[in-house]
Amino acid sequence: MASIFEELKFDDRGLIPVITQDYKTNEVLMMAYMNEEALKKSLETGKVHYFSRSRNKLWLKGETSGHFQLIKSINIDCDGDTLLIKVEQVEAACHTGYYSCFYREVSGDELKETSKKVFDDQKVYAKDAAKILQEVYDVIVDRTIHPKEGSYTNYLFEKGLDKILKKVGEEAAEVIIGAKNKDKGEIVYEISDLIYHLLVLMVERGIKLEDIYKELEGRR
């Protein structure tokens, strides 16, 4: 019997796409990626682990929400470049609150929702907000210890404090413009950029998130 790792064809980034289905209904729940470590962790634990391209790290599905995916079977396609995993889904697969990430159906040139939310995504985000900020902060700190070629974060640190402050000012201005445009998506995007650059500034100045939390707590 051939080893699964001998048969798989990971891409040049070491990743392979994964389609996840409900093992009872065969409903497609989501599509994500794994690297070799994520697959090994999944096989060892019986719970699906993925690799986050945006955060560049391994993640256990349901780690913060409790919405784990319990593996029932794993199949490989004929070319060995895609995995199909059937799971017992705990509560919901989609971070927006729907059971499946594919909850919208194309109708002409419009989209219509085909299911209702299983949970309130706003409550989940509120619960995990501090953890998400900490994860981004930790990645920034890691860049100071383990510089990565082509990293924008390392570029900012190399240019120094004045460059970081300039970017904070520019992003604050972009938030103002977004707010004046009354475009919620634009405002969210620009605020996210501002928060990221503020976190870079905090790391550069040796300020921790706990310092900010304590200050805000004292203002309640």
Side-chain angles (χ1 to χ4, degrees):
M1 183 180 295
S3 165
I4 185 174
F5 296 102
E6 293 175 0
E7 295 293 322
L8 292 178
K9 297 175 184 176
F10 294 92
D11 65 18
D12 55 4
R13 297 167 297 175
L15 303 177
I16 190 168
V18 181
I19 299 168
T20 308
Q21 285 183 300
D22 183 299
Y23 84 106
K24 289 182 178 178
T25 65
N26 287 327
E27 180 178 5
V28 177
L29 301 177
M30 60 183 289
M31 182 272 175
Y33 290 85
M34 283 185 177
N35 60 3
E36 187 171 323
E37 183 184 3
L39 179 55
K40 286 180 178 177
K41 282 282 187 182
S42 299
L43 292 171
E44 289 171 4
T45 63
K47 294 179 180 178
V48 182
H49 289 66
Y50 297 105
F51 184 84
S52 170
R53 294 175 299 166
S54 60
R55 290 183 289 167
N56 195 36
K57 62 181 293 187
L58 200 73
W59 61 287
L60 166 63
K61 177 66 177 175
E63 183 175 13
T64 57
S65 66
H67 302 169
F68 298 105
Q69 292 178 339
L70 310 179
I71 298 172
K72 295 299 181 179
S73 67
I74 300 178
N75 289 76
I76 305 172
D77 80 329
C78 57
D79 294 319
D81 59 6
T82 305
L83 288 173
L84 173 64
I85 300 182
K86 293 189 177 184
V87 302
E88 177 184 343
Q89 176 66 57
V90 177
E91 196 160 356
C94 187
H95 70 279
T96 61
Y98 293 87
Y99 185 67
S100 166
C101 292
F102 299 94
Y103 61 88
R104 296 178 295 176
E105 181 179 297
V106 177
S107 178
D109 61 352
E110 298 181 346
L111 292 174
K112 64 177 182 179
E113 294 185 2
T114 57
S115 62
K116 294 182 179 180
K117 287 190 176 186
V118 175
F119 67 89
D120 186 343
D121 57 309
Q122 294 300 322
K123 290 180 180 179
V124 172
Y125 272 124
K127 175 184 176 182
D128 297 336
K131 182 171 182 178
I132 292 169
L133 281 176
Q134 188 63 57
E135 287 178 350
V136 176
Y137 183 93
D138 290 344
V139 169
I140 295 171
V141 171
D142 186 69
R143 288 291 184 269
T144 67
I145 302 170
H146 306 104
K148 187 175 181 181
E149 186 176 353
S151 165
Y152 175 66
T153 304
N154 283 131
Y155 164 77
L156 290 175
F157 284 128
E158 288 167 6
K159 291 297 182 180
L161 179 61
D162 286 347
K163 178 65 175 179
I164 296 171
L165 293 174
K166 183 171 183 284
K167 289 301 298 180
V168 169
E170 289 175 356
E171 297 304 336
E174 292 293 337
V175 171
I176 293 171
I177 293 170
K180 293 290 283 185
N181 290 339
K182 300 180 181 179
D183 184 327
K184 182 178 179 181
E186 181 183 355
I187 297 170
V188 169
Y189 183 88
E190 298 301 346
I191 288 177
S192 298
D193 271 352
L194 176 58
I195 290 174
Y196 159 75
H197 285 90
L198 285 172
L199 290 173
V200 172
L201 175 61
M202 288 170 58
V203 172
E204 202 281 339
R205 295 284 87 182
I207 298 170
K208 296 182 178 180
L209 280 168
E210 288 80 1
D211 299 325
I212 305 301
Y213 296 151
K214 288 178 182 177
E215 175 65 24
L216 291 174
E217 184 177 24
R219 297 186 184 191
R220 290 191 301 179

